[in-house]
């Protein structure tokens, strides 16, 4: 998991139609300075003119440092960020951008199975580009209709490696069939709406390959909401802020983020449900009690970081790099 990031002021250079309800944004440095490098699976955090903060996966070419490209699905029933981008964000706007962050890194393997639903194709697209001609991989991409599925022109270049399944013509992706054919040396990467993620996760568990599954969420699941609620329960504990030696008390009924905002009001956050990764903080001492949907089991055991919107402490005091 990559946690190094930058705060940039970037120019919205281009808005491009990609599919029904989907546009891509090209962000560049106003002076033409090369942008920080990134790896497939990374995302950016965009601070919109309204003050809303949203995360979008990078879907461009990792080797091209002249610009960052992200894709945004308009969700009229959402929280307003995508609608603002689609209707009130003109080319030429300068945005504060943080990142790149990567909680969905492409691990080394001899083979990959990619499963994408809707705009979930965005991080997968960058992964495919990095593997083309070098690794064994296959993509299974589902969407409501062909016109709602982004980047089909680019995907056509990969020929038989890609299966396109529009629901209105062919039904849902055959997850059982796809996963039944997973080779022993293959990793599975899945991104898309929650019902797809749930189906893939359950089937991987049934097949005993859950350890080879990597998932990227764009929205909260019922599990995430339950974990977010759990973040407010339990005993109180101390949080030491290592950079100032200040100690604050997190009482039962409050999250670490809620509490620390009393003394650090500018702490970044977005989803506040342990999904987006915006509020990640390094742990210097103590044992985190994780409630996020991002860290792997191994990363939880390491205890090197926590997401303070949902996670608590198992130890009486936890020391954070703040």
């Amino acid at each position: 998991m990559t946690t190094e990031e930058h705060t940039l002021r970037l120019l919205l250079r281009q808005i491009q139609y990609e599919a029904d309800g989907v546009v891509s944004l090209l962000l560049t440095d106003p002076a033409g300075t090369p942008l920080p490098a990134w790896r497939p699976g990374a995302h950016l955090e965009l601070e919109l003119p309204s003050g809303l903060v949203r995360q979008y996966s990078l879907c461009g070419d990792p080797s091209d440092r002249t610009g960052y490209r992200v894709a945004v699905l308009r969700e009229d029933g959402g929280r307003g960020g995508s609608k603002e981008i689609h209707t009130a964000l003109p080319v030429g706007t300068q945005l504060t951008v943080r990142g790149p962050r990567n909680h969905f890194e492409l691990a080394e393997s001899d083979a990959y199975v990619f499963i994408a639903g809707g705009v979930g194709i965005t991080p997968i697209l960058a992964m495919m580009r990095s593997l083309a001609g070098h690794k064994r991989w296959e993509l299974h991409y589902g969407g409501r209709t062909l016109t709602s599925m982004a980047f089909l022109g680019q995907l056509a270049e990969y020929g038989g490696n890609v299966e396109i399944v529009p629901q209105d013509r062919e039904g849902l992706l055959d997850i059982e069939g796809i996963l039944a054919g997973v080779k022993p040396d293959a990793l599975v990467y899945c991104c898309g709406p929650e019902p797809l993620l749930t189906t893939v996760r359950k089937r991987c568990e049934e097949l005993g390959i859950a350890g080879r599954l990597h998932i990227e969420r764009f929205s909260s699941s019922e599990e995430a909401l339950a974990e977010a609620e759990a973040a407010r329960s339990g005993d109180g504990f101390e949080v030491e802020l290592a950079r100032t030696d200040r100690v604050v008390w997190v009482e039962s009924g409050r999250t670490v983020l809620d509490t620390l905002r009393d003394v650090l009001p500018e702490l970044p956050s977005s989803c506040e449900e342990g999904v987006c990764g915006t509020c990640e903080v390094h742990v210097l001492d103590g044992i985190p009690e994780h409630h996020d949907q991002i860290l792997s089991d191994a990363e939880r055991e390491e205890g090197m970081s926590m997401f303070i919107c949902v996670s608590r402490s198992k130890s009486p005091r936890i020391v954070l790099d703040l």
Side-chain angles (χ1 to χ4, degrees):
M1 181 177 63
T2 301
T3 57
E4 182 181 356
E5 66 176 73
H6 306 264
T7 298
L8 308 166
R9 190 70 177 171
L10 300 185
L11 176 70
L12 176 55
R13 181 79 62 180
Q14 179 190 73
I15 301 176
Q16 182 169 298
Y17 172 88
E18 301 293 352
D20 290 348
V22 180
V23 296
S24 66
L25 312 180
L26 178 63
L27 301 160
T28 63
D29 184 274
T33 303
L35 298 175
W38 60 281
R39 293 173 57 84
H43 68 271
L44 298 177
E45 178 182 279
L46 274 57
E47 185 176 321
L48 303 179
S50 66
L52 292 175
V53 176
R54 296 292 182 265
Q55 296 78 33
Y56 299 105
S57 295
L58 284 157
C59 58
D61 183 350
S63 67
D64 180 5
R65 295 179 58 188
T66 63
Y68 290 148
R69 188 174 294 276
V70 299
V72 182
L73 169 67
R74 177 165 175 164
E75 298 180 277
D76 289 327
R79 296 180 294 163
S82 67
K83 185 175 180 180
E84 180 178 352
I85 288 172
H86 276 255
T87 64
L89 195 64
V91 169
T93 302
Q94 289 198 16
L95 300 173
T96 297
V97 176
R98 299 178 187 90
R101 298 179 182 144
N102 203 335
H103 303 300
F104 193 46
E105 278 203 72
L106 189 64
E108 184 63 32
S109 180
D110 290 328
Y112 302 87
V113 174
F114 298 119
I115 302 172
V119 78
I121 189 62
T122 52
I124 302 296
L125 192 61
M127 293 179 178
M128 293 163 48
R129 284 200 180 97
S130 71
L131 297 174
H134 300 285
K135 299 284 186 177
R136 292 183 290 119
W137 61 268
E138 60 191 67
L139 167 68
H140 305 273
Y141 178 27
R144 297 186 311 279
T145 65
L146 276 177
T147 60
S148 72
M149 299 173 73
F151 305 113
L152 292 182
Q154 296 179 43
L155 294 175
E157 301 172 8
Y158 297 101
N161 287 56
V162 174
E163 178 190 26
I164 304 296
V165 182
Q167 185 178 346
D168 64 334
R169 298 185 185 184
E170 302 180 33
L172 298 171
L173 286 169
D174 178 15
I175 299 302
E176 184 169 346
I178 293 167
L179 294 176
V182 173
K183 302 296 189 295
D185 60 347
L187 296 179
V188 179
Y189 280 77
C190 182
C191 185
E194 189 59 35
L196 173 65
L197 303 185
T198 299
T199 300
V200 170
R201 178 175 57 82
K202 288 183 177 178
R203 187 57 182 151
C204 283
E205 290 173 351
E206 293 168 356
L207 293 171
I209 60 172
R212 290 193 271 149
L213 173 64
H214 300 261
I215 280 178
E216 172 89 320
R217 280 188 167 85
F218 286 151
S219 59
S220 300
S221 63
E222 291 185 7
E223 181 180 359
L225 294 174
E227 291 287 1
E229 183 63 29
R232 298 182 181 277
S233 62
D235 296 333
F237 54 93
E238 291 179 334
V239 174
E240 180 180 336
L241 309 181
R243 299 180 194 177
T244 61
D245 293 327
R246 188 165 188 168
V247 177
V248 297
W249 175 257
V250 180
E251 62 187 29
S252 180
R254 298 193 78 193
T255 66
V256 177
L257 178 62
D258 290 340
T259 304
L260 293 189
R261 275 182 175 153
D262 293 342
V263 296
L264 297 173
E266 299 304 316
L267 278 175
S269 69
S270 182
C271 74
E272 301 195 9
E273 294 170 355
V275 175
C276 73
T278 299
C279 66
E280 183 176 15
V281 175
H282 289 292
V283 176
L284 302 179
D285 195 22
I287 305 171
E289 177 185 294
H290 300 290
H291 293 283
D292 63 90
Q293 304 295 302
I294 299 171
L295 296 176
S296 67
D297 290 342
E299 289 166 336
R300 290 178 179 230
E301 284 295 323
E302 289 174 355
M304 299 297 291
S305 68
M306 65 187 288
F307 299 91
I308 59 174
C309 68
V310 292
S311 297
R312 299 183 70 80
S313 178
K314 293 181 179 179
S315 49
R317 174 179 289 197
I318 194 161
V319 183
L320 303 180
D321 185 17
L322 288 172

